[in-house]
Amino acid sequence: FKQKTAYEISACLVGSEMCIRDRNNLIVLNQNDNVGVSQFIIPEKTKIEGHEISTVDPIPFGHKVCLKTIKKGDPIIKYDQIIGFALDDIKPGQHVHSHNLEFREFKRDFKVTDKKHVVDEKADTFFNGILRDNGQVATRNYIGIVSTVNCSATVTKMIVEKIKYSNILKDYPNIDGIVPITHSTGCGMNTESEGMQMFQRTIDGFKNHPNFSHVFVIGLGCECAQISLFDESVKKHNRIHFLTIQDEGGTKKIVDKVLSQIKNLLTEANNVKRSSQSVGHLTLALQCGGSDGYSGITANPALGIAADLLVKKGGSSILSETPEIYGAEHLLINRANSQETADKLIKRLEWWKHYTSINNSSMDNNPAPGNKRGGLTTILEKSLGAVAKGGNSILQDVLQYAEPLKNKGFNFMDSPGYDPVSVTGQVASGANVICFTTGRGSCFGCKPVPSLKLSTNSAMYEKMSEDMDINCGTIAEGKEKVEEVGQNIFELVVNTASGNKSKSEINGYGDEEFNPWQVGVVM
């Protein structure tokens, strides 16, 4: 879709009604749309010049107002796309939301033609990265303590707390910290199940992540997720160590042993230097949470611009959250590089339809209450805004959850819409920078990878400026173009990859957000 720029609003009282003078006071994204988006709280009986309507109801900030008569059962159009269907006749000026708009299935058109990956051969953009011995490039330099099972989570945290309490890392400035990777699973599951395969890929992805200089994988010893599932990497990386509480003789012995080993490798872990590396080594996780009516208008399209810039320069991006592309999947399928890639995405969506149905749910159980308060109504509307994060690049591949990235460029990874679970999978797939758009004010970090917060509106940015890295609300205000903000995001990604701390890092987020997707029966 093409975005229509919104401009500063001027208003004056005219008799008993408020007169909105600027014809662009409502954000109308396409000339075919029959709803516009409010830029502020609009009282009832407010005359909106240029659209020749007056509001019938109060319109909350970021919510939709009817622009032309919509009959019961007719589609409601935003982004020149269907976001739902009218439950009743809707008059111009009425508030359009959950009370008069419903989700309904409808046929979407798919068209796939073979496409070639486009990379700017003159790409000359670099960041200060950390080159590992195996050729991987890191954006951070952490030591990781990874639990294979919930039963070893306490020991994992003990080790990390003792290192932090001793303050020993102060003498090693090139080490960014020590990270506990703990969770609530790793046992009580079929070892041959889909859920175990997902879990194994997730643990593998984190322990092999280049942002860890060294990793200690800690098990209990009798769990389903035996460390033997993960020890293939020993043959590839001498920086990964495996231990179990039972084999080492209990809690105190394993804690003391790991502490001793960490102290012996601190000099080696600290012996890194940042050097100029191509942005082709960057993989950007595209994420949104706490979305609102502005997400698909400001921050998500701007992030899409930044993602396209990175892909054009040889880098990669990963879009996820399968339930939150439902209703907009045709926009991705039409960009697939082949029918095979398109079929992968269609297959994952069919899996989700089955998965939700057997759990007495539906795809429209998303959006969340906060999304709806922010102006979103159906999953169709949310998804149309969410896919904008992926820009316009060719879809190169569709990955299983936590599957390692294979093809450079724009990729999609299957995941739930729940942000911590989705980002965990993206990082396991190889993302080394995260961009997270939010309209309601999500706070999130995911060590060992830096996470950047992109605000969709200026009001929230001003309220939560200590948590937000960049304000995209300037687009709606007409102060900046979406392309300008996209360029700013790209530059922020490069600077952050080079070592500049994000707001979430400054605030200490990231130790608790590891959350692998749990699928299947708990035995």
Side-chain angles (χ1 to χ4, degrees):
F1 61 87
K2 292 184 178 179
Q3 181 175 339
K4 184 177 181 180
T5 304
Y7 294 95
E8 197 71 28
I9 301 160
S10 61
C12 65
L13 290 176
V14 179
S16 61
E17 295 185 341
M18 181 176 287
C19 173
I20 309 300
R21 292 174 178 249
D22 194 292
R23 66 183 291 111
N24 291 313
N25 62 82
L26 292 178
I27 300 176
V28 182
L29 298 165
N30 189 283
Q31 63 182 3
N32 297 323
D33 291 359
N34 53 19
V35 293
V37 179
S38 65
Q39 297 193 79
F40 55 97
I41 298 173
I42 308 178
E44 62 180 324
K45 297 181 180 179
T46 299
K47 191 175 293 182
I48 303 177
E49 292 186 358
H51 298 285
E52 298 180 354
I53 62 174
S54 294
T55 54
V56 176
D57 316 297
I59 311 297
F61 170 78
H63 281 236
K64 297 174 289 297
V65 58
C66 179
L67 300 177
K68 58 189 77 172
T69 299
I70 305 173
K71 293 184 178 181
K72 181 179 179 179
D74 283 353
I76 293 173
I77 309 297
K78 180 182 175 185
Y79 308 111
D80 195 25
Q81 301 285 334
I82 296 173
I83 64 168
F85 297 85
L87 280 169
D88 301 293
D89 291 345
I90 306 175
K91 299 177 182 178
Q94 279 189 284
H95 180 206
V96 179
H97 200 45
S98 302
H99 61 288
N100 56 7
L101 185 163
E102 69 172 346
F103 166 81
R104 192 190 303 166
E105 290 284 1
F106 67 96
K107 185 178 179 180
R108 292 178 281 282
D109 293 328
F110 304 146
K111 184 179 180 181
V112 180
T113 57
D114 288 346
K115 305 174 184 70
K116 292 183 178 180
H117 182 34
V118 178
V119 177
D120 184 354
E121 295 182 359
K122 296 181 179 178
D124 56 357
T125 306
F126 300 88
F127 74 104
N128 288 324
I130 300 167
L131 181 63
R132 300 295 188 192
D133 291 342
N134 61 0
Q136 292 180 304
V137 177
T139 59
R140 292 293 184 269
N141 188 41
Y142 284 100
I143 294 171
I145 315 293
V146 179
S147 301
T148 63
V149 65
N150 180 252
C151 306
S152 61
T154 297
V155 161
T156 294
K157 287 188 174 182
M158 280 182 181
I159 295 166
V160 171
E161 287 168 3
K162 285 181 179 291
I163 290 291
K164 289 182 177 179
Y165 182 77
S166 70
N167 204 24
I168 192 173
L169 294 183
K170 73 179 188 305
D171 297 324
Y172 301 91
N174 293 332
I175 300 175
D176 291 306
I178 184 166
V179 182
I181 301 297
T182 61
H183 49 87
S184 60
T185 186
C187 200
M189 65 177 85
N190 183 338
T191 57
E192 303 297 324
S193 67
E194 182 180 18
M196 179 59 86
Q197 292 170 13
M198 287 182 176
F199 180 71
Q200 182 179 349
R201 289 198 300 266
T202 307
I203 295 296
D204 273 335
F206 268 74
K207 71 177 176 50
N208 295 327
H209 201 284
N211 281 11
F212 284 130
S213 68
H214 296 80
V215 176
F216 291 83
V217 182
I218 309 294
L220 174 62
C222 56
E223 62 274 10
C224 292
Q226 291 284 297
I227 61 172
S228 58
L229 291 173
F230 314 106
D231 63 7
E232 274 297 311
S233 57
V234 172
K235 302 172 184 177
K236 303 176 184 177
H237 309 296
N238 58 12
R239 59 189 178 89
I240 301 174
H241 309 268
F242 295 85
L243 306 94
T244 69
I245 297 170
Q246 293 169 355
D247 286 345
E248 298 302 329
T251 300
K252 187 177 186 303
K253 290 180 180 178
I254 191 171
V255 169
D256 289 345
K257 181 173 182 177
V258 174
L259 285 174
S260 175
Q261 289 181 339
I262 290 174
K263 290 175 182 177
N264 289 335
L265 59 76
L266 288 177
T267 299
E268 178 184 348
N270 188 65
N271 188 27
V272 296
K273 292 182 179 179
R274 289 187 176 270
S275 59
S276 182
Q277 302 291 332
S278 167
V279 294
H281 291 290
L282 294 181
T283 298
L284 182 62
L286 309 171
Q287 194 66 213
C288 60
S291 300
D292 69 352
Y294 273 28
S295 293
I297 298 171
T298 59
N300 288 355
L303 178 53
I305 295 288
D308 283 343
L309 285 171
L310 179 61
V311 168
K312 188 177 180 182
K313 293 176 181 293
S316 301
S317 62
I318 304 176
L319 181 68
S320 298
E321 301 179 292
T322 313
E324 296 184 13
I325 61 137
Y326 179 69
E329 67 271 21
H330 56 294
L331 301 179
L332 293 176
I333 290 171
N334 293 342
R335 291 160 49 193
N337 62 353
S338 67
Q339 187 64 51
E340 179 184 4
T341 300
D343 289 342
K344 283 185 179 181
L345 185 57
I346 293 169
K347 185 177 180 180
R348 296 320 301 163
L349 285 162
E350 291 300 324
W351 183 95
W352 271 97
K353 289 178 185 178
H354 173 70
Y355 185 60
T356 53
S357 68
I358 64 175
N359 285 283
N360 299 316
S361 186
S362 78
M363 297 297 274
D364 197 46
N365 284 146
N366 189 332
N371 299 145
K372 293 184 177 181
R373 285 194 295 272
L376 297 175
T377 310
T378 65
I379 187 57
L380 305 176
E381 181 180 12
K382 186 176 182 180
S383 293
L384 287 164
V387 298
K389 300 192 303 293
N392 291 305
S393 297
I394 296 167
L395 178 61
Q396 297 295 330
D397 199 5
V398 174
L399 305 171
Q400 296 277 352
Y401 182 80
E403 181 183 356
L405 188 78
K406 302 184 293 293
N407 299 317
K408 287 279 191 179
F410 173 53
N411 287 256
F412 183 85
M413 185 202 75
D414 182 34
S415 83
Y418 183 40
D419 311 320
V421 175
S422 182
V423 179
T424 295
Q426 290 173 316
V427 172
S429 287
N432 50 15
V433 183
I434 301 160
C435 274
F436 192 120
T437 71
T438 180
R440 305 293 291 173
S442 293
C443 300
F444 185 83
C446 189
K447 293 178 181 176
V449 175
S451 175
L452 293 165
K453 293 300 180 346
L454 283 57
S455 170
T456 71
N457 65 84
S458 297
M460 188 274 287
Y461 177 81
E462 292 167 4
K463 187 177 182 180
M464 298 183 63
S465 59
E466 291 182 357
D467 292 282
M468 299 296 121
D469 293 277
I470 194 167
N471 179 24
C472 303
T474 53
I475 296 169
E477 296 167 347
K479 296 177 180 177
E480 292 182 287
K481 294 180 180 179
V482 65
E483 293 82 5
E484 293 173 323
V485 178
Q487 179 67 41
N488 293 341
I489 294 169
F490 175 75
E491 292 172 2
L492 182 61
V493 166
V494 173
N495 290 335
T496 302
S498 297
N500 291 355
K501 285 191 175 182
S502 67
K503 294 285 184 70
S504 68
E505 290 176 297
I506 293 170
N507 289 329
Y509 282 95
D511 284 344
E512 304 294 336
E513 284 78 358
F514 179 81
N515 200 338
W517 187 8
Q518 298 183 48
V519 174
V521 177
V522 178
M523 304 295 287

